[in-house]
Coordinates of all heavy atoms in Angstrom, one line a residue:
Q114 N 65.9 -3.9 -20.3 CA 66.2 -4.7 -19.1 C 65.7 -6.2 -19.4 O 66.5 -7.1 -19.2 CB 65.4 -4.3 -17.9 CG 66.1 -3.1 -17.2 CD 65.3 -2.8 -15.9 OE1 64.4 -2.0 -15.9 NE2 65.7 -3.4 -14.8
L115 N 64.5 -6.3 -20.0 CA 64.0 -7.6 -20.3 C 64.9 -8.4 -21.3 O 65.0 -9.6 -21.2 CB 62.6 -7.5 -20.8 CG 61.5 -7.1 -19.8 CD1 60.2 -6.9 -20.5 CD2 61.3 -8.2 -18.7
L116 N 65.5 -7.6 -22.2 CA 66.4 -8.2 -23.2 C 67.8 -8.5 -22.7 O 68.6 -9.0 -23.5 CB 66.4 -7.3 -24.5 CG 65.1 -7.2 -25.2 CD1 65.2 -6.2 -26.4 CD2 64.6 -8.5 -25.7
G117 N 68.1 -8.0 -21.5 CA 69.4 -8.2 -20.9 C 70.4 -7.2 -21.5 O 71.6 -7.5 -21.5
I118 N 70.0 -6.1 -22.0 CA 70.8 -5.1 -22.6 C 71.3 -4.1 -21.6 O 72.4 -3.6 -21.6 CB 70.1 -4.3 -23.7 CG1 69.8 -5.3 -24.9 CG2 70.9 -3.1 -24.2 CD1 68.9 -4.8 -25.9
A119 N 70.4 -3.7 -20.6 CA 70.7 -2.6 -19.7 C 70.1 -2.9 -18.3 O 69.3 -3.8 -18.1 CB 70.1 -1.3 -20.2
T120 N 70.5 -2.1 -17.4 CA 70.0 -2.1 -16.0 C 69.6 -0.7 -15.6 O 70.3 0.2 -16.1 CB 70.9 -2.8 -15.0 OG1 70.3 -3.0 -13.8 CG2 72.2 -2.0 -14.8
Y121 N 68.6 -0.6 -14.8 CA 68.3 0.7 -14.2 C 69.3 1.0 -13.1 O 69.4 0.3 -12.1 CB 66.9 0.7 -13.6 CG 66.4 2.0 -13.0 CD1 66.0 3.0 -13.8 CD2 66.4 2.2 -11.6 CE1 65.6 4.2 -13.3 CE2 66.0 3.4 -11.1 CZ 65.5 4.4 -11.9 OH 65.1 5.6 -11.4
S122 N 70.2 2.1 -13.4 CA 71.2 2.3 -12.4 C 71.0 3.4 -11.4 O 71.4 3.4 -10.3 CB 72.5 2.6 -13.2 OG 72.4 3.6 -14.2
K123 N 70.2 4.5 -11.9 CA 69.8 5.5 -11.0 C 68.7 6.3 -11.7 O 68.5 6.1 -12.9 CB 70.9 6.4 -10.6 CG 71.6 7.2 -11.7 CD 72.7 8.0 -11.2 CE 73.4 8.8 -12.3 NZ 74.5 9.6 -11.9
R124 N 68.1 7.2 -11.0 CA 67.0 8.0 -11.5 C 67.4 8.6 -12.9 O 68.4 9.3 -12.9 CB 66.5 9.1 -10.6 CG 65.3 9.8 -11.0 CD 64.9 10.8 -9.9 NE 63.8 11.6 -10.4 CZ 62.5 11.3 -10.3 NH1 62.2 10.1 -9.8 NH2 61.6 12.1 -10.8
G125 N 66.7 8.3 -13.9 CA 66.9 8.9 -15.2 C 68.1 8.3 -16.0 O 68.5 8.8 -17.0
V126 N 68.6 7.1 -15.6 CA 69.7 6.5 -16.3 C 69.6 5.0 -16.3 O 69.4 4.3 -15.2 CB 71.1 6.9 -15.6 CG1 72.2 6.2 -16.3 CG2 71.3 8.4 -15.5
Y127 N 69.7 4.4 -17.5 CA 69.9 3.0 -17.7 C 71.3 2.8 -18.2 O 71.8 3.6 -19.1 CB 68.9 2.5 -18.7 CG 67.5 2.4 -18.2 CD1 66.6 3.5 -18.2 CD2 67.0 1.2 -17.6 CE1 65.4 3.4 -17.7 CE2 65.7 1.1 -17.1 CZ 64.9 2.3 -17.1 OH 63.6 2.2 -16.6
T128 N 72.0 1.8 -17.7 CA 73.4 1.5 -18.0 C 73.5 0.2 -18.8 O 72.8 -0.8 -18.3 CB 74.3 1.5 -16.8 OG1 74.1 2.7 -16.1 CG2 75.7 1.3 -17.1
I129 N 74.3 0.2 -19.8 CA 74.4 -1.0 -20.6 C 75.1 -2.1 -19.8 O 75.9 -1.9 -18.9 CB 75.3 -0.7 -21.9 CG1 75.1 -1.9 -22.9 CG2 76.7 -0.5 -21.5 CD1 75.6 -1.5 -24.3

Side-chain angles (χ1 to χ4, degrees):
Q114 280 184 270
L115 290 171
L116 296 175
I118 293 168
T120 188
Y121 180 77
S122 52
K123 64 181 179 180
R124 185 175 175 86
V126 180
Y127 287 85
T128 304
I129 196 166

